[in-house]
Amino acid sequence: MAPTAASDRVQKLLALFGSPQACAAELLCDRHPEDDVAFTVVEADLSTRDLTYGRLRRDSARFAAALAGIGVEPGDAVAVLMGKSADLVVALLGIWRRGAVHVPLFTAFAPPAIALRLEASAAKAVVVDADQRGKLAPGDDIPADAPWQVVVAGGEPGHGELSFDRLLDSYQGDEPEGRPVARGGDGTLVQLFTSGTTGTPKGVPVPVKALASFQTYLEYGLDVRADDVFWNAADPGWAYGLYYSILGPLAAGTRSVLLHSAFSVPLTWQVLRELEVTNFAAAPTVYRSLRGAPGPAPEDLRLRTASSAGEPLTPEVITWAEQALGVTVRDHYGQTEHGMVIVNGWADGIRSTVRPGSMGRPLPGWSAEVLQEDRDEPAPPCTSGRVAIQVAESPLMWFTGYADAPEKTAERFSADGRWYVTGDAGTRDEDGYFFFSARDDDVIIMAGYRIGPFDVESALLQHGLVSDAAVVGVPDALRGEVLEAFVVLRPGVVGDEALVTELQHLVKRKFAAHAYPRVVHFTDRLPKTPSGKIQRFLLREQRRRELLRH
């Protein structure tokens, strides 16, 4: 598609989603034909359930009325701790129909990580799957007199809690409270939290107008077509899954597959084959897992496109995919703060030959550059520098700042406001292709999940025998990176395997099940700057040298 046509399309999407009268429920659900399928929910036994827009409109209107009935007002935060299911979609659309703000909670989070997000967002309510309910029980992190109302889906509520199913049953018909609330293009739709390296996670307000960016990526980056069977396997508790398995498809009115089950290689192959998936997106870890599993790929796959995001895509995956899947996996780059920006796009007009190691070129509606290390000017081609977004030249740019964190916001933008600096390092060649070389400070990207060392270190430091700790990412053939911890024990304490196990379980309980250190090194001291900041890069270098020797 010609650049002018792409620019015109971007402007039309911005006019639609950025309007002062923009209503999320109307844009994401009500304007689409009632009988069209929005989602196909797949269970572990491969049974499926189609959710039409008409059904979602009726059920989400009932849940919006229920939210109003328990005191949730437009602009209030409602957190969601749920897996990929029909109930999840109904809950999200009900929240947006009420004009409330969705706060995603990843189902692998432990109570401390959940409590932080609930408190920071001042959540009025939490919708939780029954099998996740225990994480909201009163304890060290969750107060006994919590200010949020708990709504339990898929099971019986406890004392003082509400049942999701019974709430829906209580509101039949078109209740006045269920009418969609329009908050305009600048109204906040979602508040996601990033993973940081030097402090607590930062809240990212996602406005309704960001839907223009999400749909642009669906159309140009992924090339999702009306006749595609589209499956983005990412978890909607994180940006890529939420933006492009839920919000983007709803905005575009295209069908999306939701797998209501944990990841496994056999099940992934089965879903790809049985549902005849034509357009697939996942983190590199998924592709590496498929590649590393015994046995060949099914021969009767229908894939037309395959895409990857969340971490750099390694060359062996691309080579394998061309042979096993029959398509090239195309790498895409973005962040929580803006979604996907630089892509190896699939759509006609922007599609070009994949250059090994490249994350592609800017998506229509975005302008990116590599700035010099010491000043806010473009670096020469093929010179390492700071990957940045040119704000004035990026009409799809929707991020304006973190919630209640002006100092963190200032760190992201140049003094003149011309550049948004991603914090990632890379290069750009003479033809405008970008290559990733390093990531934001010390953030660890494991299996597509961005993990801040601070969160894991904070959990480790809660152990009575630990006096100091540092966490780094170490290269891993399957996950891209895994966490390893360097722990300083209190005087006289000797570390052993039993203590290693204790520390790993502590991280699982206090932060997240997926983010525990696979290896724990006991050390006498940590490298630090004169001001006391841990020099994690020295620990990473040390481990990489050790691994090379072995």
Side-chain angles (χ1 to χ4, degrees):
M1 188 174 290
T4 53
S7 298
D8 289 346
R9 179 58 176 160
V10 167
Q11 290 304 319
K12 287 180 180 178
L13 291 173
L14 283 169
L16 175 66
F17 295 109
S19 164
Q21 290 78 42
C23 172
E26 170 66 26
L27 293 167
L28 295 172
C29 182
D30 299 357
R31 69 190 178 105
H32 301 310
E34 278 210 354
D35 293 335
D36 281 7
V37 175
F39 295 95
T40 296
V41 181
V42 185
E43 301 296 336
D45 62 1
L46 295 184
S47 62
T48 62
R49 175 187 176 190
D50 285 340
L51 302 178
T52 65
Y53 283 101
R55 177 63 182 269
L56 289 175
R57 181 185 62 78
R58 292 186 290 274
D59 286 352
S60 65
R62 291 156 63 197
F63 189 57
L67 289 174
I70 63 174
V72 173
E73 299 293 337
D76 285 343
V78 178
V80 175
L81 183 60
M82 303 175 75
K84 294 171 276 189
S85 64
D87 284 347
L88 169 68
V89 181
V90 171
L92 296 185
L93 282 170
I95 291 166
W96 297 326
R97 186 176 295 277
R98 179 60 185 149
V101 178
H102 165 223
V103 179
L105 298 174
F106 183 38
T107 52
F109 279 150
I114 292 169
L116 182 151
R117 288 157 175 78
L118 293 177
E119 291 166 3
S121 65
K124 269 282 190 72
V126 188
V127 189
V128 57
D129 281 336
D131 61 2
Q132 294 282 324
R133 170 61 191 87
K135 295 178 181 178
L136 298 177
D140 293 341
D141 305 290
I142 305 294
D145 56 347
W148 49 80
Q149 176 68 63
V150 175
V151 179
V152 178
E156 282 301 309
H159 177 71
E161 299 170 346
L162 300 172
S163 163
F164 182 80
D165 289 336
R166 286 198 281 274
L167 279 176
L168 291 185
D169 291 341
S170 299
Y171 290 88
Q172 300 291 342
D174 294 324
E175 296 288 338
E177 296 89 350
R179 294 172 183 167
V181 175
R183 301 193 62 215
D186 291 325
T188 302
L189 189 71
V190 175
Q191 182 161 317
L192 267 171
F193 285 81
T194 66
S195 294
T197 60
T198 58
T200 55
K202 303 178 291 293
V204 176
V206 182
V208 174
K209 66 184 177 185
L211 294 170
S213 174
F214 303 160
Q215 185 166 339
T216 297
Y217 173 65
L218 223 69
E219 293 182 6
Y220 291 91
L222 298 177
D223 190 30
V224 178
R225 303 175 184 177
D227 59 351
D228 266 330
V229 178
F230 171 59
W231 181 23
N232 175 359
D235 193 287
W238 296 93
Y240 193 71
L242 177 63
Y243 295 172
Y244 305 116
S245 71
I246 302 288
L247 284 167
L250 285 174
T254 54
R255 179 166 73 119
S256 180
V257 172
L258 291 179
L259 177 60
H260 188 208
S261 180
F263 169 79
S264 76
V265 168
L267 184 56
T268 300
W269 284 134
Q270 287 179 308
V271 173
L272 288 171
R273 185 181 64 250
E274 296 298 325
L275 270 70
E276 299 184 340
V277 173
T278 59
N279 195 316
F280 183 56
T285 301
V286 170
Y287 293 105
R288 285 196 289 268
S289 297
L290 295 175
R291 175 178 176 267
E299 295 182 356
D300 52 349
L301 297 179
R302 300 290 185 90
L303 286 175
R304 180 178 65 83
T305 72
S307 305
S308 175
E311 57 183 310
L313 189 64
T314 46
E316 75 275 5
V317 172
I318 297 175
T319 303
W320 165 82
E322 290 172 346
Q323 298 171 349
L325 304 180
V327 295
T328 299
V329 180
R330 289 177 170 257
D331 197 12
H332 303 164
Y333 167 84
Q335 294 184 322
T336 301
E337 290 89 341
H338 38 250
M340 308 313 289
V341 173
I342 299 170
V343 303
N344 286 292
W346 278 102
D348 293 340
I350 71 165
R351 185 170 63 249
S352 60
T353 302
V354 172
R355 299 192 178 185
S358 173
M359 53 195 187
R361 294 184 287 191
L363 190 68
W366 294 95
S367 177
E369 187 55 90
V370 174
L371 302 180
Q372 299 191 43
E373 296 288 359
D374 56 350
R375 57 189 183 277
D376 296 334
E377 296 176 8
C382 303
T383 302
S384 181
R386 299 169 294 147
V387 178
I389 296 169
Q390 194 168 7
V391 176
E393 302 300 319
S394 299
L396 289 177
M397 178 75 176
W398 49 264
F399 176 76
T400 57
Y402 300 108
D404 304 317
E407 71 290 346
K408 295 298 182 183
T409 298
E411 293 173 4
R412 285 298 195 189
F413 289 91
S414 60
D416 59 5
R418 182 184 177 191
W419 303 101
Y420 169 93
V421 182
T422 66
D424 291 329
T427 59
R428 180 182 58 81
D429 68 15
E430 296 88 344
D431 299 320
Y433 287 83
F434 285 73
F435 296 79
F436 180 92
S437 60
R439 56 188 52 94
D440 189 356
D441 297 329
D442 298 306
V443 166
I444 301 157
I445 301 182
M446 184 184 74
Y449 299 124
R450 293 174 65 86
I451 301 168
F454 178 83
D455 294 315
V456 184
E457 290 160 3
S458 297
L460 290 168
L461 289 167
Q462 293 183 48
H463 195 287
L465 301 181
V466 174
S467 64
D468 210 352
V471 172
V472 299
V474 174
D476 179 79
L478 177 62
R479 300 176 182 87
E481 286 186 317
V482 293
L483 280 76
E484 292 192 6
F486 291 80
V487 173
V488 180
L489 299 174
R490 297 194 180 279
V493 177
V494 177
D496 56 20
E497 285 303 314
L499 183 53
V500 168
T501 301
E502 282 185 37
L503 294 174
Q504 291 172 329
H505 286 310
L506 180 64
V507 172
K508 291 179 182 181
R509 292 198 313 273
K510 294 296 186 180
F511 177 50
H514 69 297
Y516 71 93
R518 267 56 178 184
V519 178
V520 176
H521 306 274
F522 295 110
T523 184
D524 293 330
R525 63 182 182 87
L526 300 175
K528 295 185 178 182
T529 65
S531 63
K533 293 182 179 179
I534 298 173
Q535 295 175 302
R536 296 184 186 85
F537 73 95
L538 293 178
L539 297 172
R540 287 197 298 269
E541 296 277 338
Q542 172 188 323
R543 285 297 291 138
R544 287 187 176 125
R545 286 196 301 269
E546 291 171 351
L547 292 172
L548 284 173
R549 287 199 295 269
H550 297 290

